Amino acid sequence: MDKLKSVLSGEEARRDDRTILEGVCFLFLPRIGLTLFIIFYTFGNLCALGSTMFLMGPLKQLKRMCDKTRALATAIMITCLVLTLCAAFWWKNFGLALLFCILQVLSFTWYSLSYILFVRDAILRMLSMCCK
């Protein structure tokens, strides 16, 4: 009942705003903020990749990840996941880690698009037409 009262009075929305704001402020903590972002971002991408295994089953998904149309995208995606963590923890280069985070997004998108017929070909044609 108290939860319902706080939602109807608008107090819940103010609490959510503070939580989001506090979460954003963690990024700006000296030394640990960016590291936490990189850890959670990479873990989130691993969870997203793992969640796709429920669509067809883990074994079939792993086989399809290694198909000739997806092998390069899979290799780049996994390499970017590993390099992001290496850049953050061993090399202590956060600019490079953020670059690998961006590459994670691009490689995961390119990998995901491989499951939709002819989309990657259409994107490549569109890019080639724009570059002419």
Side-chain angles (χ1 to χ4, degrees):
M1 192 68 171
D2 291 332
K3 178 84 169 167
L4 181 62
K5 285 180 185 178
S6 67
V7 168
L8 292 176
S9 68
E11 289 178 27
E12 187 69 27
R14 285 190 290 270
R15 268 192 243 145
D16 287 342
D17 291 343
R18 278 185 293 190
T19 306
I20 292 170
L21 187 59
E22 289 168 357
V24 170
C25 288
F26 279 128
L27 284 176
F28 300 106
L29 290 175
R31 300 188 187 243
I32 195 165
L34 216 50
T35 305
L36 284 175
F37 170 75
I38 290 166
I39 290 169
F40 288 134
Y41 189 81
T42 303
F43 181 70
N45 278 339
L46 286 173
C47 288
L49 183 62
S51 69
T52 61
M53 293 191 181
F54 290 106
L55 297 173
M56 335 176 186
L59 193 59
K60 194 172 183 180
Q61 176 73 14
L62 288 174
K63 286 180 184 177
R64 286 197 173 180
M65 285 175 73
C66 297
D67 284 347
K68 69 176 186 171
T69 58
R70 295 181 190 95
L72 181 62
T74 303
I76 291 172
M77 180 177 54
I78 292 171
T79 303
C80 287
L81 289 170
V82 171
L83 287 176
T84 302
L85 296 174
C86 288
F89 293 113
W90 285 292
W91 303 329
K92 305 282 188 212
N93 188 340
F94 293 113
L96 194 59
L98 289 176
L99 174 68
F100 287 133
C101 282
I102 293 168
L103 291 175
Q104 279 184 41
V105 171
L106 295 175
S107 62
F108 193 75
T109 302
W110 192 250
Y111 167 78
S112 299
L113 288 175
S114 70
Y115 285 98
I116 305 170
L117 293 176
F118 306 115
V119 170
R120 294 196 316 180
D121 293 332
I123 291 172
L124 288 175
R125 284 188 198 135
M126 184 179 67
L127 288 175
S128 70
M129 287 173 45
C130 290
C131 292
K132 285 185 180 181

